[in-house]
Amino acid sequence: MIDAKLTRPSANFHASWVESWNEWGTLNQDGSAAFVAARYGLDLRDSSDFAEWVGLLHELPKESFQPPEGLANQTTIWVVAGNAYMGAASLRHSLVNDYLVEVGGNIGYGIRPSARGRGLAKLALKSALLEGRDLGMERVLVTCKQPNVASARTIEACGGVLESVRPPESFAPELGVTEAIRRYWFQL
């Protein structure tokens, strides 16, 4: 594993975060909470929009902060090495809609493609699990797509218990699920 640490989001990582975004290409950058920026109409390639997004990520964990409909209060943790953004984990404090209950779960995490295979996904997931425990959560749901063997191994290595593997046709059509979903539970 590379020398990495966990930190709260910071605007200081803008250039590295954009490099990571470019590595992901058209794939969803799981765990980064970039969908929050989309809900607020922010362009994360712009440094001032990025700084505003980082500010939102610091507000989202607060019980007093009311996120837009469909978003949950959440804690975002970044994995960094030196001045390089490596990935993130987001812990949703509650499952506020059908998508999160069925597909998204409480935790999303992702490591930039060039940093994978170094134990960083385990670091990110374990940090989100500890955060959940600190918040008093008793159990959390973590999911991954069936073909994502690396993510399934990470979840299992961190103690996730497989509830089910659900085929796409078992989900409501409006959830947009096109691949089987592995659903894991963690007792905190």
Side-chain angles (χ1 to χ4, degrees):
M1 185 165 89
I2 61 176
D3 187 26
K5 68 177 187 172
L6 302 168
T7 187
R8 296 295 181 210
S10 169
N12 294 334
F13 291 98
H14 180 241
S16 181
W17 191 93
V18 171
E19 289 172 5
S20 172
W21 184 265
N22 291 335
E23 283 181 28
W24 281 84
T26 60
L27 297 174
N28 179 21
Q29 194 176 154
D30 292 333
S32 73
F35 57 87
V36 173
R39 291 295 294 271
Y40 284 90
L42 301 174
D43 176 3
L44 296 180
R45 296 181 191 281
D46 176 82
S47 61
S48 62
D49 278 7
F50 187 85
E52 185 177 341
W53 174 62
V54 166
L56 284 167
L57 295 181
H58 285 270
E59 293 299 313
L60 275 168
K62 298 176 182 175
E63 286 184 39
S64 61
F65 183 79
Q66 181 63 43
E69 187 174 335
L71 293 181
N73 288 91
Q74 65 181 22
T75 302
T76 301
I77 304 161
W78 284 1
V79 180
V80 300
N83 62 357
Y85 170 88
M86 296 289 143
S90 289
L91 169 71
R92 291 173 282 276
H93 301 179
S94 60
L95 303 177
V96 298
N97 58 40
D98 289 344
Y99 182 82
L100 294 178
V101 168
E102 299 293 326
V103 183
N106 292 98
I107 298 174
Y109 63 92
I111 301 299
R112 69 191 289 172
S114 65
R116 291 181 183 160
R118 302 176 189 172
L120 298 177
K122 278 191 223 173
L123 178 66
L125 178 54
K126 285 180 180 179
S127 70
L129 293 168
L130 288 173
E131 185 73 25
R133 184 175 296 130
D134 290 347
L135 289 171
M137 298 173 77
E138 294 181 10
R139 70 183 206 148
V140 295
L141 174 65
V142 181
T143 66
C144 68
K145 293 178 180 173
Q146 172 69 10
N148 191 342
V149 175
S151 189
R153 286 184 183 152
T154 296
I155 295 166
E156 292 166 3
C158 290
V161 176
L162 182 65
E163 171 197 81
S164 62
V165 179
R166 292 186 50 195
E169 60 273 8
S170 71
F171 296 96
E174 61 270 15
L175 297 180
V177 177
T178 60
E179 298 180 82
I181 302 293
R182 299 178 67 85
R183 294 170 46 89
Y184 292 89
W185 287 98
F186 287 86
Q187 296 295 327
L188 302 180

